[in-house]
Amino acid sequence: MDLSFEWIIKIIETNWPMFLRGAGVTLLIALIGTIFGALIGLLAGIIRTIPIPERGAKRGFLKFINIILSIYIEFFRGTPMIVQAMVIFYGSAAAFGWQMNPIIAGVVIVAINTGAYMAEIVRGGIISVDAGQYEAAQAIGMNHVQTMTHVVMPQVIRNILPATGNQFIINIKDTAVLSVISVTELFFQTKTVAGNNFRYFEAFFIVCIIYFILTYAVTLILRYFERKLDGPDNYTVVGSHAQMDAGEHKGIGQ
Amino acid sequence: METVIDIQRLSKSFGNHEVLKDIHFSVNKGEVVCIIGSSGSGKSTLLRCVNLLEKPSGGKIIYNGENILDDKHDIHAYRRRLGMVFQQFNLFNNHNVLGNCVVGQMKVLKRSREEAEKVALKYLKVVGMDRFVNAKPRQLSGGQKQRVAIARALSMEPDVLLFDEPTSALDPEMVGEVLKVMKELAETGLTMLIVTHEMEFAKEVSDRVVFMDKGVIAEEGSPDQIFNHPTGERTREFLKRTLREI
């Protein structure tokens, strides 16, 4: 019974419900955290790229909001998530007497953290949309909100999709740090399993594989969505004798 | 003749660089006006000032009897009356050909999808792109993109159509197809203001040619006057240089 392989089988056989539950909690926190984080990031990124008017009350207000957003982004990007988890979980208990549900606390921490990163990703995505796209929308008579919703943001969302997927994968792995506030995610469960059996290598080897399966599955799903969003590479030319006419049209005016 | 846009004492500076100085200039209904001049003469800036993509530093732009540079004037309402065709096409990358021609009509003019598509198809037919409604901008050639861009502008049924060097970014063999469409539009009586380097085209389609040099309008007149009997020294020099190149 000392062979690792046999232990791995045994641990899986007896503890699979714990791994499954842990994986479920990890995915739940990572998914909801990433979605809310992306929404926070979208909002923050959009606000930070609103052109600041030259004068008026709106200018002061916008500048104030921008400063607040900068502080938020720099602070949460500049401190480890494991420390933020401790500060928020124990801080809210000490200051307000809240006994936060660890899973909810975990989602909040992941969302706030992701939001700080996503804000910069979104800002970069907005800046990288060609100025000509704004100009064409403005020239057609669209206002700033219409320009953003119908022209710029759809392109931004497509462009930030790979970075968002990246963030989701990072979150699946980083939820492991939430074990410090007793969130019963995958890493926490594994520690328990390992402790119960006094078999650390085997338990963590199993969880290593589980983490990889989770992240790789997410990668594949995101790739599929990206391809869906890009649409087919071909297009159909409408009308009869389509191919011939398409050729003719390229030749107009020659 | 009815004046559509009347520009008075218009000036534009970038920092301390004065790009446009004291421009007086108007466009009449049904007229085709070409603006020519060497690079850096301010002709594109003038065009971009007309639809306020650049904010003029001073002067007036009178449209329908109102100065649209007044603070209280609704810029968006004014812009939707002008069409713009860009050098770099600037088709909306997130829409297909039909979407490009429809989105402005629906969101800005509040037309129904049905009506917008009907109008879009009508103008896509005019530019010979009606069979490519499903194509995405990235799947089209430069000339095709520019023809779609023209259809997009026409779909808004503007009072004036502005062209900012519409063929300068095109491969030589695609210039013809775009100029042909523009020529056909000119014949329909559409009011057009065109910044161009295509001298033969300007000579052929314009009712009036404006020659710009160093931020001012150096000479203005009929194509015959400008191309065959220019009075200004600079106009003559410019034409000698560009016509020799052709």
Side-chain angles (χ1 to χ4, degrees):
Chain A
M1 259 324 246
D2 231 287
L3 268 163
S4 283
F5 184 71
E6 284 171 24
W7 268 106
I8 287 172
I9 302 290
K10 185 173 182 278
I11 289 173
I12 292 175
E13 271 173 4
T14 49
N15 297 290
W16 65 267
M18 281 185 86
F19 286 121
L20 203 62
R21 227 176 299 135
V25 172
T26 286
L27 263 186
L28 182 79
I29 293 176
L31 183 65
I32 299 178
T34 307
I35 290 171
F36 277 100
L39 292 177
I40 294 171
L42 272 175
L43 197 65
I46 289 170
I47 292 172
R48 270 157 66 89
T49 47
I50 294 176
I52 292 181
E54 282 164 45
R55 54 185 180 274
K58 250 176 97 178
R59 178 185 164 85
F61 180 68
L62 212 53
K63 281 206 149 182
F64 175 72
I65 297 283
N66 273 330
I67 290 170
I68 300 285
L69 285 176
S70 288
I71 293 171
Y72 158 65
I73 291 165
E74 297 310 330
F75 187 80
F76 280 92
R77 284 200 311 173
T79 54
M81 193 161 88
I82 192 167
V83 177
Q84 293 163 17
M86 299 294 261
V87 170
I88 291 175
F89 188 68
Y90 293 108
S92 64
F96 311 108
W98 293 350
Q99 195 51 59
M100 282 177 100
N101 176 325
I103 291 182
I104 291 174
V107 168
V108 169
I109 289 154
V110 171
I112 293 176
N113 217 278
T114 307
Y117 282 97
M118 288 299 294
E120 284 299 276
I121 292 169
V122 171
R123 194 170 69 92
I126 293 175
I127 292 171
S128 71
V129 171
D130 180 32
Q133 299 282 310
Y134 293 87
E135 289 193 345
Q138 301 274 301
I140 243 175
M142 288 189 187
N143 58 34
H144 183 73
V145 175
Q146 288 170 329
T147 302
M148 291 305 273
T149 40
H150 303 299
V151 176
V152 178
M153 287 320 287
Q155 297 183 43
V156 170
I157 288 170
R158 170 62 190 89
N159 290 342
I160 65 168
L161 210 60
T164 311
N166 208 13
Q167 200 64 44
F168 186 24
I169 285 166
I170 289 172
N171 285 342
I172 289 175
K173 297 184 296 171
D174 281 5
T175 46
V177 308
L178 296 174
S179 61
V180 297
I181 55 167
S182 309
V183 178
T184 55
E185 44 66 55
L186 196 48
F187 183 80
F188 186 91
Q189 299 285 43
T190 311
K191 266 199 317 192
T192 314
V193 170
N196 289 345
N197 298 288
F198 296 106
R199 281 283 156 181
Y200 287 85
F201 165 72
E202 290 80 359
F204 282 100
F205 181 77
I206 293 166
V207 84
C208 191
I209 304 289
I210 296 176
Y211 272 118
F212 181 74
I213 292 171
L214 291 182
T215 54
Y216 193 64
V218 167
T219 305
L220 292 181
I221 292 168
L222 284 167
R223 284 275 154 73
Y224 173 78
F225 272 121
E226 275 177 40
R227 273 202 304 273
K228 259 266 150 94
L229 223 66
D230 286 344
D233 273 341
N234 298 313
Y235 59 94
T236 47
V237 177
V238 184
S240 56
H241 306 297
Q243 293 307 316
M244 209 179 72
D245 288 348
E248 256 174 31
H249 264 291
K250 280 198 166 175
I252 267 193
Q254 280 181 15
Chain B
M1 227 189 297
E2 190 189 334
T3 304
V4 185
I5 297 174
D6 190 20
I7 291 167
Q8 298 170 2
R9 303 189 56 85
L10 189 86
S11 64
K12 172 69 188 174
S13 305
F14 293 107
N16 58 6
H17 179 52
E18 214 179 6
V19 185
L20 296 176
K21 296 164 215 167
D22 196 28
I23 302 277
H24 286 261
F25 166 67
S26 63
V27 182
N28 299 318
K29 197 168 184 329
E31 212 180 12
V32 177
V33 181
C34 279
I35 306 177
I36 60 171
S38 48
S39 301
S41 59
K43 53 194 191 313
S44 277
T45 307
L46 173 58
L47 196 75
R48 290 167 60 82
C49 278
V50 170
N51 74 351
L52 305 180
L53 285 178
E54 301 290 351
K55 197 169 179 272
S57 311
K60 284 181 181 176
I61 298 176
I62 309 290
Y63 171 78
N64 272 347
E66 283 177 68
N67 179 16
I68 52 135
L69 293 181
D70 275 348
D71 275 348
K72 59 182 192 321
H73 205 94
D74 182 359
I75 294 174
H76 306 297
Y78 165 69
R79 277 199 187 124
R80 80 184 58 144
R81 303 306 318 140
L82 307 182
M84 176 87 165
V85 176
F86 296 87
Q87 184 177 350
Q88 300 293 344
F89 332 123
N90 296 345
L91 291 182
F92 301 136
N93 294 327
N94 56 318
H95 292 283
N96 63 14
V97 166
L98 188 63
N100 264 280
C101 300
V102 162
V103 64
Q105 294 186 64
M106 286 176 66
K107 302 306 168 188
V108 178
L109 302 179
K110 311 288 181 202
R111 287 180 181 158
S112 69
R113 173 167 291 279
E114 202 184 10
E115 191 194 352
E117 285 186 355
K118 219 174 93 194
V119 174
L121 279 173
K122 176 175 139 197
Y123 290 109
L124 282 168
K125 204 166 268 172
V126 169
V127 301
M129 287 299 290
D130 53 319
R131 269 167 289 189
F132 292 83
V133 284
N134 297 320
K136 302 240 173 58
R138 65 183 149 91
Q139 296 162 326
L140 301 177
S141 73
Q144 291 176 322
K145 279 186 206 174
Q146 195 60 299
R147 285 188 280 144
V148 173
I150 292 171
R152 173 176 69 180
L154 288 170
S155 296
M156 300 294 287
E157 300 182 321
D159 292 341
V160 187
L161 197 46
L162 312 176
F163 292 83
D164 187 8
E165 303 193 25
T167 58
S168 297
L170 294 176
D171 290 337
E173 73 262 37
M174 288 169 187
V175 171
E177 67 184 66
V178 171
L179 292 184
K180 181 171 174 269
V181 166
M182 289 172 66
K183 242 177 255 176
E184 285 165 6
L185 288 177
E187 282 158 15
T188 64
L190 185 72
T191 313
M192 291 160 72
L193 180 56
I194 307 165
V195 169
T196 186
H197 287 290
E198 299 286 337
M199 293 305 149
E200 285 301 319
F201 171 78
K203 207 171 178 174
E204 206 176 317
V205 302
S206 322
D207 296 306
R208 194 147 50 93
V209 178
V210 172
F211 170 67
M212 284 192 68
D213 185 61
K214 297 197 173 107
V216 297
I217 292 177
E219 197 167 345
E220 188 179 350
S222 69
D224 177 57
Q225 206 176 317
I226 297 288
F227 287 106
N228 301 331
H229 317 285
T231 52
E233 184 58 37
R234 294 199 173 283
T235 320
R236 261 185 299 223
E237 252 173 54
F238 170 77
L239 288 173
K240 216 159 82 189
R241 235 177 323 139
T242 48
L243 293 178
R244 195 171 46 214
E245 277 165 24
I246 296 167

